[in-house]
Structures are given as structure tokens and as C-alpha cells.
């Protein structure tokens, strides 16, 4: 392994590491040489991941706890510093789903998903970036700092039965871009992935794996991108959003302006909007019946072939 891809001497926190994507990511990071602090709500599962990494010659400690609690984030940072003396990489993966149509969703179903996904990402990001900012001030320049967040195509598509999940993932994407923009001067590189992976959380959507030597939706196919973004080579990538699954990785373009309307061109005497001017501008533009959902990206659907199929993912 080249130095640019090696994580020897680096320390990473991985949330949601008890199974699925988080477990695959933790094992991949360990394979690249990173020492790990692993978190999940279920203690037995995350301890098993840590044990597997240790038995394979790596270094890992497990810390169970609710990632939506501020104290869990504090404990994770403290564990990294106490056990390994530093923190270089943060991989936010912990999440859950409570799927329901927006008109049927309970207050608790909304709050729980936003709390674990969006608040959980914020807590660890807040604590890690504050730590790195202080180190950068002491060093008088940028430090080594990587964040990989877990978004989802649900926010790109506006998944009908996942208003809480899609909203949380949109928030995570915005948090990622904001972190990348505001913390780059300190050395922080923050990116997000939208993975498709067959995990316990997505089993109901994706079904059983195919009868083949390779499952194209296995979480292990996502982990190399995460490890790359955590590596020295990943320092050239910041504020990007990737869709990744199987042997495919697509980097998303930012939103763009589709059309511009000016009040002066639609009967406004002073160039400012009136109700009549708004009608004159928009009525001719939006004529489809029923109206299409305009602010959604369905291009990623074409990335799936007959072998991979499509399903929402963590």
C-alpha cells in the first residue's frame, strides 16, 4: 500500500459500527492501518466488530451509547485521545429508519430519525472540528482531519415513504458542505456518501442477496471509497457528495438554476413582483398535468443495472 493510501498511525471514530456499513467501513479502515474507536447502540454488536479487528492484528476499542446524546460524542473523543493519543478521521454512519407516509407519521417517528441521523452527525462533527481547530491554532497551520458522513439518495429523490429519513439526509448533506467550507482552513476535509448496501436496515427493500459469488450490494463494496476519503490521498477531495454501490461511484453536481423570471418582463411597472406579474411569469412555465416534482434528482437511478437493482440505503 502506498503512503498516500495508508492510514498507519491514524486514529478513526466510526459510529454505527456494530453491523452493516459501519462494520464494513471499520474493517476497511483497520486494514489500511487505522486504530479505531467504534460506537453503536448495541454493545454486543460493536464489541464483536472490535474483537474481529483485534484478532486480525488491528487495534480497536468499542464504546456503546446513543449517538444522539451529547455525552456519547464526548466519550468517543475522549476514548480516542486516551487510548490512541489523537483523532484523525470521523466516519458518521449510525442511523435507523421509521418509514411512513408524511400524513401518517407520528411526532416520535419524526423526532427519533432526525435525532439519530442529523443530531448524531452534528454532535460528533461539532466535537471533532473544535478539537481539530484548537490543534490547528497550536500548530499554526492545517492539521490532518477527515470526516465522511452518510447521506442517502432518499434526499435526492424525495422518497415518498421516508419524509423523516429524506429530511435528515438532506440536512446531513448541508452539514457536510458547511463543514467543508468553514473548516478547510484548519485542514478538515468533509465529504458525504449516498450508499446502496444490503444491510439489516434495508433488508425489507432489497431482499435476499443473489445466488452468486459476489453480492454487488454488499457493504464491503462501499467501504473502499470511505477509506480513500479518509486517507492522505483524500485530501484533494472536499465538500463532495458521492453515490456509491457495487463497482460504481458517481460524484454529484451541485444544484443549478433552471430558469430565471424577472418581474419587469411580466407587466410590473416598477420592476418588483406583483401577484399578476408572478402569474404571468409562472403560468406559462408550469403546464404539466399532473405537475412533475421538479427539485429531485432521478439520474442516479440509471446507475443501477439489472444485476444491482435499486433500493433506498443507509
Amino acid at each position: 500500500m502506498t503512503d498516500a493510501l495508508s492510514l498507519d498511525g491514524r486514529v478513526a471514530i466510526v459510529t454505527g459500527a456494530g453491523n452493516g456499513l459501519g462494520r464494513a467501513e471499520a474493517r476497511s479502515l483497520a486494514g489500511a492501518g487505522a486504530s479505531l474507536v467504534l460506537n453503536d447502540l448495541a454493545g454486543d454488536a460493536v464489541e464483536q466488530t472490535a474483537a474481529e479487528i483485534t484478532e486480525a492484528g488491528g487495534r480497536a476499542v468499542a464504546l456503546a451509547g446513543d449517538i444522539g446524546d451529547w455525552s456519547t460524542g464526548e466519550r468517543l473523543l475522549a476514548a480516542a485521545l486516551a487510548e490512541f493519543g489523537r483523532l484523525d478521521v470521523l466516519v458518521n454512519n449510525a442511523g435507523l429508519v421509521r418509514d411512513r407516509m408524511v400524513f401518517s407519521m407520528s411526532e416520535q417517528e419524526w423526532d427519533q430519525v432526525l435525532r439519530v441521523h442529523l443530531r448524531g452527525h452534528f454532535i460528533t462533527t461539532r466535537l471533532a472540528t473544535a478539537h481539530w481547530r484548537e490543534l490547528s491554532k497550536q500548530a499554526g497551520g492545517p492539521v490532518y482531519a477527515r470526516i465522511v458522513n452518510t447521506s442517502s439518495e432518499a434526499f435526492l429523490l424525495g422518497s415518498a415513504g421516508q419524509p423523516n429519513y429524506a429530511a435528515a439526509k438532506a440536512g446531513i448533506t448541508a452539514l457536510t458542505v458547511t463543514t467543508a467550507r468553514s473548516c478547510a482552513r484548519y485542514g478538515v476535509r468533509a465529504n458525504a456518501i449516498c450508499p446502496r448496501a444490503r444491510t439489516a436496515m434495508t433488508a425489507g427493500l432489497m431482499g435476499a442477496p443473489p445466488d452468486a459469488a459476489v453480492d454487488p450490494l454488499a457493504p464491503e463494496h462501499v467501504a473502499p471509497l470511505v477509506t480513500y476519503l479518509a486517507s492522505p490521498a483524500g485530501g484533494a477531495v472536499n465538500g463532495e457528495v458521492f453515490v456509491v454501490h457495487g463497482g460504481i461511484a458517481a460524484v454529484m453536481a451541485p444544484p443549478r438554476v433552471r430558469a430565471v423570471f424577472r418581474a419587469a418582463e411580466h407587466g410590473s411597472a416598477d420592476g418588483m413582483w406583483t401577484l399578476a406579474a408572478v402569474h404571468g411569469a409562472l403560468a406559462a412555465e408550469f403546464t404539466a398535468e399532473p405537475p412533475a416534482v421538479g427539485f429531485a434528482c432521478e439520474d442516479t437511478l440509471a446507475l443501477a443495472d439489472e444485476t444491482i437493482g435499486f433500493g433506498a440505503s443507509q
Side-chain angles (χ1 to χ4, degrees):
M1 183 180 299
T2 67
D3 290 343
L5 298 176
S6 174
L7 290 172
D8 285 344
R10 303 297 179 185
V11 177
I13 291 173
V14 182
T15 71
N19 52 57
L21 279 167
R23 179 173 175 270
E25 290 161 352
R27 295 176 65 174
S28 179
L29 291 164
S35 299
L36 299 169
V37 177
L38 307 178
N39 163 260
D40 211 307
L41 185 61
D44 291 346
V46 73
E47 287 171 7
Q48 178 61 35
T49 302
E52 290 174 0
I53 290 170
T54 302
E55 290 167 4
R59 302 175 70 195
V61 296
L63 196 158
D66 181 353
I67 200 59
D69 286 341
W70 186 269
S71 61
T72 299
E74 291 179 320
R75 288 164 56 215
L76 288 171
L77 177 57
L81 300 180
E83 293 288 336
F84 305 117
R86 59 188 298 131
L87 175 65
D88 304 285
V89 178
L90 169 63
V91 177
N92 284 310
N93 176 73
L96 51 77
V97 289
R98 295 291 183 268
D99 293 351
R100 202 174 302 278
M101 298 297 284
V102 68
F103 45 76
S104 302
M105 182 161 288
S106 70
E107 178 184 0
Q108 292 75 22
E109 289 166 336
W110 174 270
D111 288 347
Q112 187 176 17
V113 169
L114 269 290
R115 181 179 186 277
V116 174
H117 286 277
L118 185 53
R119 176 179 165 85
H121 274 62
F122 161 71
I123 289 171
T124 53
T125 298
R126 160 63 173 81
L127 295 169
T129 54
H131 171 70
W132 288 324
R133 178 175 179 266
E134 182 59 32
L135 290 183
S136 176
K137 289 169 63 178
Q138 294 174 12
V143 298
Y144 191 104
R146 304 283 190 269
I147 298 175
V148 183
N149 288 331
T150 307
S151 185
S152 171
E153 287 172 87
F155 100 89
L156 294 169
L157 298 166
S159 297
Q162 298 182 305
N164 49 3
Y165 184 77
K169 293 306 189 181
I172 286 169
T173 303
L175 173 65
T176 304
V177 175
T178 297
T179 303
R181 186 180 295 278
S182 61
C183 297
R185 73 185 74 175
Y186 309 119
V188 177
R189 301 293 180 263
N191 296 284
I193 62 167
C194 299
R196 297 182 203 168
R198 201 184 311 278
T199 67
M201 198 177 82
T202 62
L205 293 170
M206 296 185 175
D211 294 326
V214 176
D215 177 5
L217 289 179
E220 287 73 18
H221 303 313
V222 172
L225 174 59
V226 173
T227 302
Y228 179 83
L229 294 173
S231 73
V237 188
N238 195 34
E240 301 290 359
V241 179
F242 293 86
V243 173
V244 55
H245 56 87
I248 296 173
V251 62
M252 302 302 297
R256 60 182 179 83
V257 175
R258 192 175 83 197
V260 177
F261 308 97
R262 294 180 172 83
E265 298 171 359
H266 295 278
S268 171
D270 60 3
M272 298 296 107
W273 287 112
T274 64
L275 181 58
V278 171
H279 176 68
L282 300 191
E285 177 73 15
F286 299 97
T287 58
E289 183 59 40
V293 175
F295 198 78
C297 175
E298 298 182 354
D299 292 350
T300 62
L301 295 178
L303 298 176
D305 59 22
E306 307 81 32
T307 304
I308 292 176
F310 174 75
S313 63
Q314 160 63 20

